[in-house]
Amino acid sequence: MASIKKRIVIVASGSGSNAQAIIDACAKETVNGSVVKLISNVPNAEALTRAAQSNIPSNCIDHKIFSDRDSFDVALAEEIDAVQPDIIVLAGFMRILSDEFVAKYLGKLLNIHPSLLPKYTGMRTYQRALDNEDHEHGTSVHFVTPELDGGPVILQAKVPVFEDDTVDELASRVKVQEHKIYPLVVNWLCNDRIALIDMKAFFDGQELPECGYASD
């Protein structure tokens, strides 16, 4: 018997394509959860439009009106807590969260980062991969911990890097994989198959290696 659907909040800053992938997966019931709210820190973010089109409640908390990061994080936490979610999904959220915020939701907070972590934390990952003439690039879904992009990896997807690639071409290839693996990992958390224990990721009770779950 399927477990009760988990309540999901998505936090996004931009186009919201990963948010859309999760919304669609919930609608198709390939994710055992429902998106109860989408929050953005950018007033004109396309993610807010996507939420409206899917009849999902949304709100903007513009970080620019806050005097510091901590006060923004307090307001964001209040907005999240108002709907009592089980899971918080960062989907292209371009703000660094305070240690206090992360600690509050530890084990319930997921992020996706466009690199094969621990390689290329931070920004401009596609350009850095091209500059270094990497043969492969990819994306990582990880638990969020206080260390920026440093939480334990749950699942990665790799793509080839071709000699004449542009940033846009590489990003587009990675996005295809992101839209597959992020809903999958969200569903794992909905079904209590993954857990953060002592700052390590576990899948079905087994500790995952640094690169996360691997089918081989």
Side-chain angles (χ1 to χ4, degrees):
M1 188 174 74
S3 58
I4 297 171
K5 285 187 176 182
K6 295 293 176 68
R7 296 169 63 82
I8 301 167
V9 165
I10 298 176
V11 187
S13 297
S15 70
S17 67
N18 273 308
Q20 188 70 61
I22 293 165
I23 290 167
D24 291 346
C26 289
K28 294 173 185 173
E29 299 188 339
T30 53
V31 167
N32 186 30
S34 59
V35 180
V36 295
K37 180 168 273 191
L38 185 143
I39 305 168
S40 181
N41 63 309
V42 179
N44 61 349
E46 189 182 342
L48 293 168
T49 303
R50 292 179 184 271
Q53 290 170 343
S54 298
N55 296 313
I56 291 169
S58 63
N59 195 17
C60 176
I61 305 175
D62 188 348
H63 64 274
K64 292 179 181 177
I65 69 172
F66 294 88
S67 59
D68 54 45
R69 186 173 70 179
D70 288 343
S71 55
F72 168 79
D73 283 3
V74 168
L76 178 60
E78 288 176 353
E79 189 76 17
I80 290 170
D81 292 346
V83 293
Q84 298 182 305
D86 302 293
I87 297 166
I88 300 100
V89 176
L90 305 182
F93 182 59
M94 306 304 290
R95 298 281 299 168
I96 296 174
L97 295 164
S98 64
D99 291 357
E100 291 78 12
F101 182 96
V102 171
K104 179 179 174 70
Y105 301 111
L106 204 62
K108 299 166 61 174
L109 191 57
L110 296 175
N111 186 43
I112 192 162
H113 181 74
S115 82
L116 298 172
L117 291 171
K119 197 172 188 179
Y120 304 140
T121 61
M123 305 290 285
R124 299 178 62 254
T125 65
Y126 303 115
Q127 188 63 58
R128 289 153 72 189
L130 294 177
D131 290 345
N132 290 329
E133 299 182 354
D134 291 352
H135 296 296
E136 65 179 11
H137 194 57
T139 186
S140 306
V141 182
H142 64 95
F143 281 112
V144 178
T145 63
E147 182 185 352
L148 178 65
D149 299 328
V153 172
I154 302 160
L155 186 63
Q156 293 183 328
K158 297 178 181 179
V159 302
V161 180
F162 300 120
E163 194 172 327
D164 58 350
D165 261 342
T166 65
V167 166
D168 287 345
E169 287 167 342
L170 182 54
S172 177
R173 203 174 302 127
V174 169
K175 281 288 183 189
V176 170
Q177 297 304 316
E178 288 190 342
H179 298 163
K180 293 177 181 177
I181 70 168
Y182 211 1
L184 177 62
V185 173
V186 171
N187 190 49
W188 286 348
L189 190 53
C190 285
N191 291 324
D192 300 317
R193 297 193 68 185
I194 54 173
L196 181 66
I197 303 171
D198 296 331
M199 293 298 184
K200 296 176 182 177
F202 284 74
F203 181 87
D204 288 346
Q206 300 295 313
E207 184 180 340
L208 291 173
E210 185 182 44
C211 63
Y213 179 85
S215 58
D216 56 357

